[in-house]
């Protein structure tokens, strides 16, 4: 008997056994298993099988992912239903090619493992081996989906989450079934043996797999839903302090400790000292220095946590940018693992558009927004997630305003009454010669000019804008009437200058000292302005956050808290560079300043750091709610995105 005749006889036996077991009664199973019954070359069988599984499983997973992105970015809840369906269809078309290709490659790798097992071991029950591998693939897919849901899904509506919770198990079931039949086809083709039984029956095993996927998926998806708290109509406020928040990015903790111990930062040193320290500002003022562990997260997320008291991604600012795929109305602010696809492939190909981080993405109130309730003036300069600047009592200078003012971008300053004055200040700083030595002496002229324009001149502008905002007064009004109840300043110059620095460690250490001395001078002038004003106009509480930024991701940072009422104990003060610092969290900074300003306590915020006397809140709320942004997105948002790119953040 020839080899071809013998092969045809073996295939006929396999075909008869598959028909007896019912595998060839259904079009879906017959579509995959027919590849095992054809006398063709193994490589062609493997190629056809990979394409079929990739297309079918990729389609199911792409639909589930498109639905997850639509739910995570509130695409389904806005506009008419037909527009939401069009967005969902467009997302599916965007995701199908990469998901199908990834699924096909993963299936091909799994096929290699199965073939290796068949060659090395005498596998008697190929259906059991195929099912075990398919269930493992489904479990891996489900784990990835649930892991992504923790950070991707926002406080979407219950109907949308239930829909996602129903679709995801079905997609996982389809994946397991496809992989099982694909691997079974492969095993039959390379062993010339039929399965001994029909394991994946729709009545028992299939139902068990589907039920297990539902049991694991629904609670996880529903737990990702955050209950939206209603914003209180009024906030009862007690008499409180004027509070000041200063954030300095790109400073290592040992640099702070060293300069404080040397006495090069006299104001910060006095603020960090115990009550009654020589030269301490005011009467009985005292402070402490805490340490905190830095999470690995974008700077926009970290500094928004400092300003709101809410951790990321609860405050909504989890990335520096978003993406709007072609044909989709709503930009995707949350992409999870798919972010690499949008940024590295879709944007360069022109099928998706970059969008910058904007203030309307923030879902939590900042310190200054809450302090402005009732008409009290506030001041915020260059803080993350403040573009476009929102009109509040007082003044808001948006993040990146130095570059935005040079381009004449709308939304850099609010209210517009201070726009011309600040634009003139930015232009003046941009023209003036630079007198600082560390940069001009250590870098070539072109590199020095780049550092000055990207980092140091903007920080000088923000310091001056902050001081002018503290001293602002309306015509005919007393300075105390316009003193900001809460003021915040963010200085990223050192973090930006460190990116690509080539001037040597000694020169950069000199630059760190120069910039921290300048920040120390800002605090000194702010305190002097307060004590020179009317009684009760003094700054009562100060928080300074020193973060290592991109110089040491996941490192340790420093928080200095000072109260005019004093903080107990000298541990962690200016002279304790080698002592173990007490630990706190960045979110506790906003909680402390809100308590000091006399605002109610939110149950969503942590308690203020222990060691300083904090007044009792007038009332405790479940939460402050969420801001409702009314300003439209400026058409010049592209310039803001370009400024982020020029600063090295993108």
């Amino acid at each position: 008997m020839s080899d071809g005749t013998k092969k045809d006889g073996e295939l006929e036996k396999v075909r008869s056994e598959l028909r007896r077991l019912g595998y060839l009664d259904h079009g879906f199973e017959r579509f995959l298993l027919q590849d095992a019954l054809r006398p063709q070359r193994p490589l062609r069988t493997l190629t056809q099988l990979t394409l079929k599984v990739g297309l079918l499983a990729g389609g199911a997973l792409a639909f589930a992912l498109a639905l997850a992105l639509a739910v995570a970015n509130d695409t389904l809840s806005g506009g008419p239903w037909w527009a939401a369906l069009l967005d969902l269809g467009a997302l599916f078309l965007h995701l199908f090619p990469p998901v199908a290709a990834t699924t096909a490659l993963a299936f091909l790798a799994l096929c290699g493992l199965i073939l290796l097992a068949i060659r090395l071991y005498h596998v008697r029950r190929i259906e059991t081996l195929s099912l075990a591998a398919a269930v493992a693939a489904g479990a891996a897919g489900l784990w990835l989906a649930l892991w992504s849901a923790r950070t991707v899904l926002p406080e979407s509506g219950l109907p949308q989450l239930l829909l996602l919770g129903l679709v995801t198990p079905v997609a996982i079931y389809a994946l397991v079934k496809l992989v099982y039949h694909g691997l079974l086809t492969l095993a039959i083709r390379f062993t010339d043996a039929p399965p001994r039984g029909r394991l994946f029956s729709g009545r028992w095993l299939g139902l068990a797999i589907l039920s297990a996927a539902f049991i694991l998926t629904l609670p996880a998806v529903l737990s990702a839903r955050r209950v939206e708290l209603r914003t209180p109509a009024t906030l009862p406020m007690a008499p409180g302090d004027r509070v000041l928040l200063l954030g300095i990015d790109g400073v290592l903790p040992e640099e702070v400790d060293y300069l404080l111990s040397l006495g090069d930062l006299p104001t910060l040193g006095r603020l960090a000292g115990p009550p009654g320290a020589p030269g301490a500002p005011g009467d009985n003022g005292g402070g402490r220095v805490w340490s905190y562990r830095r999470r690995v997260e974008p700077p926009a997320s970290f500094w928004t946590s400092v300003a709101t008291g809410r951790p990321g991604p609860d405050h909504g600012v989890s990335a520096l940018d978003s993406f709007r795929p072609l044909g989709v109305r709503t930009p995707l602010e949350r992409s999870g693992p798919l972010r690499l696809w949008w940024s590295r492939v879709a944007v360069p190909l022109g099928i998706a558009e970059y969008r910058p981080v904007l203030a309307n993405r923030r879902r939590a109130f900042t310190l200054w927004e809450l302090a402005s309730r009732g008409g009290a003036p506030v001041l915020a300069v260059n803080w993350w997630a403040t573009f476009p600047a929102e009109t509040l009592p007082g003044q808001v200078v948006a993040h990146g305003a130095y570059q935005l003012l040079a381009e004449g971008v709308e939304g850099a300053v609010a209210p517009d009454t201070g726009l011309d004055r600040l634009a003139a200040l930015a232009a003046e700083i941009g023209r003036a010669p630079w007198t600082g030595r560390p940069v001009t002496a250590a870098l070539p002229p072109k590199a020095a000019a780049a550092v000055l324009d990207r980092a140091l001149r903007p920080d000088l502008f923000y310091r001056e804008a902050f001081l002018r905002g503290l001293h602002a007064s309306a015509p005919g009004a007393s300075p105390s009437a316009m003193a900001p109840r809460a003021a915040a300043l963010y200085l990223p110059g050192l973090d930006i200058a460190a990116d690509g620095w080539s001037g040597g460690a000694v020169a950069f250490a000199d630059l760190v000292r120069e910039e921290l001395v300048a920040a120390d001078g800002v605090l000194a002038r702010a305190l002097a302005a307060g004590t020179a004003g009317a009684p009760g106009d003094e700054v009562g509480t100060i928080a300074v956050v020193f973060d290592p930024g991109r110089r040491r991701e996941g490192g340790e940072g420093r928080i200095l808290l000072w109260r005019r009422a004093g903080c107990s104990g000298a541990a962690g003060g200016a002279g304790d560079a080698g002592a173990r610092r007490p630990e706190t969290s960045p979110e506790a900074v906003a909680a402390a300043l809100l308590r000091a300003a006399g605002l109610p306590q939110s149950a969503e915020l942590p308690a203020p750091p222990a060691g300083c006397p904090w007044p009792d809140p007038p009332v405790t709320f479940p939460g402050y709610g969420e801001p409702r942004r009314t300003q439209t997105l400026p058409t010049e948002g592209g310039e803001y995105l370009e400024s982020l790119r020029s600063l090295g953040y993108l």
Side-chain angles (χ1 to χ4, degrees):
M1 182 182 295
S2 64
D3 292 340
T5 305
K6 182 179 179 181
K7 189 71 173 177
D8 291 341
E10 292 175 350
L11 290 178
E12 185 58 36
K13 290 180 181 179
V14 172
R15 185 180 291 108
S16 300
E17 185 63 17
L18 290 176
R19 188 176 293 110
R20 185 186 69 82
L21 294 173
Y23 278 104
L24 301 183
D25 294 341
H26 303 284
F28 166 74
E29 296 173 350
R30 186 167 59 248
F31 176 69
L32 290 175
L33 289 171
Q34 63 185 353
D35 291 318
L37 308 177
R38 293 172 178 170
Q40 57 189 11
R41 293 182 178 181
L43 183 59
R44 183 177 179 183
T45 299
L46 182 61
T47 302
Q48 290 179 346
L49 202 57
T50 301
L51 289 175
K52 289 180 179 180
V53 173
L55 291 174
L56 294 175
L61 294 179
F63 178 75
L65 285 173
L67 181 62
L69 284 181
V71 171
N73 294 278
D74 295 330
T75 301
L76 302 180
S77 59
W81 63 269
W82 55 265
L85 289 180
L86 288 177
D87 273 0
L88 186 60
L91 277 175
F92 172 79
L93 294 178
H94 277 279
L95 294 176
F96 177 69
V99 173
T102 303
T103 305
L105 291 176
F107 178 76
L108 191 61
L110 196 57
C111 287
L113 295 177
I114 294 296
L115 291 178
L116 184 63
I118 291 175
R119 294 300 184 189
L120 295 179
Y121 303 99
H122 179 61
V123 180
R124 294 185 176 182
R125 299 189 64 89
I126 57 175
E127 68 277 9
T128 303
L129 177 64
S130 302
L131 180 62
V135 170
L142 183 60
W143 176 84
L144 180 61
L146 298 182
W147 176 78
S148 302
R150 297 182 307 119
T151 56
V152 172
L153 292 181
E155 67 291 354
S156 300
L158 185 59
Q160 291 89 346
L161 285 175
L162 284 175
L163 178 62
L164 180 61
L166 294 174
V167 169
T168 301
V170 174
I172 296 298
Y173 171 80
L175 174 66
V176 173
K177 190 170 184 178
L178 281 166
V179 171
Y180 167 71
H181 286 98
L183 295 179
L184 183 62
T185 301
L186 188 73
I188 292 173
R189 183 66 183 81
F190 281 86
T191 61
D192 293 328
R196 294 192 176 185
R198 182 179 173 86
L199 288 181
F200 207 105
S201 65
R203 179 176 300 179
W204 299 113
L205 186 58
L207 184 60
I209 293 176
L210 188 61
S211 300
F214 272 116
I215 292 173
L216 292 174
T217 302
L218 276 176
V221 171
L222 293 179
S223 65
R225 179 175 181 261
R226 185 168 58 86
V227 178
E228 182 177 352
L229 299 176
R230 181 176 299 177
T231 303
T234 59
L235 289 180
M237 296 185 183
D241 297 335
R242 285 184 58 207
V243 298
L244 190 152
L245 171 61
L246 175 61
I248 305 178
D249 211 345
V251 184
L252 303 181
E254 54 266 28
E255 294 170 341
V256 178
D257 295 340
Y258 179 70
L259 292 174
L260 284 175
S261 64
L262 286 182
D264 287 353
L265 309 175
T267 305
L268 284 166
R270 291 194 297 268
L271 293 178
D283 297 329
N284 301 321
R288 299 184 70 179
V289 179
W290 282 262
S291 68
Y292 65 89
R293 297 302 304 176
R294 175 72 152 86
R295 295 188 298 269
V296 179
E297 59 182 332
S301 177
F302 171 80
W303 290 106
T304 303
S305 296
V306 173
T308 62
R310 304 286 302 281
D314 287 355
H315 51 55
V317 183
S318 55
L320 302 180
D321 48 19
S322 60
F323 308 92
R324 192 176 73 84
L326 190 66
V328 179
R329 299 170 304 151
T330 307
L332 305 179
E333 300 169 0
R334 304 166 189 87
S335 300
L338 293 170
R339 174 179 171 78
L340 288 177
W341 165 256
W342 300 121
S343 61
R344 301 292 178 85
V345 180
V347 171
L349 289 177
I351 58 176
E353 177 187 0
Y354 245 140
R355 289 296 183 93
V357 57
L358 297 170
N360 14 7
R361 288 177 56 185
R362 179 163 37 79
R363 301 195 306 263
F365 286 105
T366 59
L367 157 73
W368 54 88
E369 288 174 329
L370 293 170
S372 68
R373 294 288 187 90
V378 293
L379 175 65
V381 176
N382 193 42
W383 213 272
W384 279 99
T386 54
F387 176 78
E390 184 177 11
T391 301
L392 297 173
Q395 188 172 72
V396 176
V397 180
H399 179 259
Y402 179 78
Q403 289 84 1
L404 298 175
L405 287 170
E407 298 293 333
V409 176
E410 179 187 356
V413 178
D416 292 339
T417 52
L419 180 61
D420 293 339
R421 176 173 50 85
L422 289 174
L425 173 63
E428 178 184 347
I429 290 175
R431 291 190 302 265
W434 191 261
T435 57
R437 292 284 300 165
V439 172
T440 56
L443 296 175
K446 186 175 181 180
V451 172
L452 291 178
D453 291 339
R454 291 172 55 238
L456 303 187
R457 292 186 192 275
D459 267 19
L460 174 58
F461 166 75
Y462 298 132
R463 290 194 296 265
E464 290 299 320
F466 182 75
L467 289 172
R468 293 189 183 189
L470 287 177
H471 304 156
S473 60
S478 64
S480 61
M482 296 297 294
R485 184 174 189 179
L489 169 64
Y490 170 63
L491 299 174
L494 289 173
D495 183 60
I496 296 172
D499 184 33
W501 176 267
S502 59
V506 175
F508 194 82
D510 291 339
L511 177 62
V512 170
R513 180 187 178 279
E514 183 179 87
E515 289 298 293
L516 289 184
V517 167
D520 188 87
V522 170
L523 288 174
R525 292 172 63 183
L527 287 166
T531 54
D537 194 28
E538 305 91 350
V539 175
T541 304
I542 295 176
V544 185
V545 180
F546 302 93
D547 189 70
R550 293 173 293 179
R551 293 179 64 192
R552 186 182 295 168
E553 292 188 0
E556 184 179 300
R558 293 284 184 263
I559 295 175
L560 186 158
L561 280 173
W562 172 85
R563 296 214 68 213
R564 192 169 294 277
C567 291
S568 60
D576 301 328
R580 181 177 177 83
R581 305 280 186 184
E583 292 189 0
T584 186
S585 67
E587 293 81 13
V589 174
L593 295 179
L594 288 168
R595 182 75 67 86
L599 274 83
Q601 173 72 36
S602 169
E604 294 181 302
L605 269 61
C612 294
W614 305 107
D616 294 330
V619 70
T620 299
F621 283 145
Y624 295 122
E626 298 185 4
R628 299 299 181 188
R629 307 297 179 187
T630 57
Q631 76 269 35
T632 58
L633 298 183
T635 57
E636 295 84 357
E639 280 81 356
Y640 177 65
L641 187 64
E642 288 301 322
S643 74
L644 290 179
R645 202 172 275 124
S646 68
L647 296 177
Y649 289 114
L650 297 176

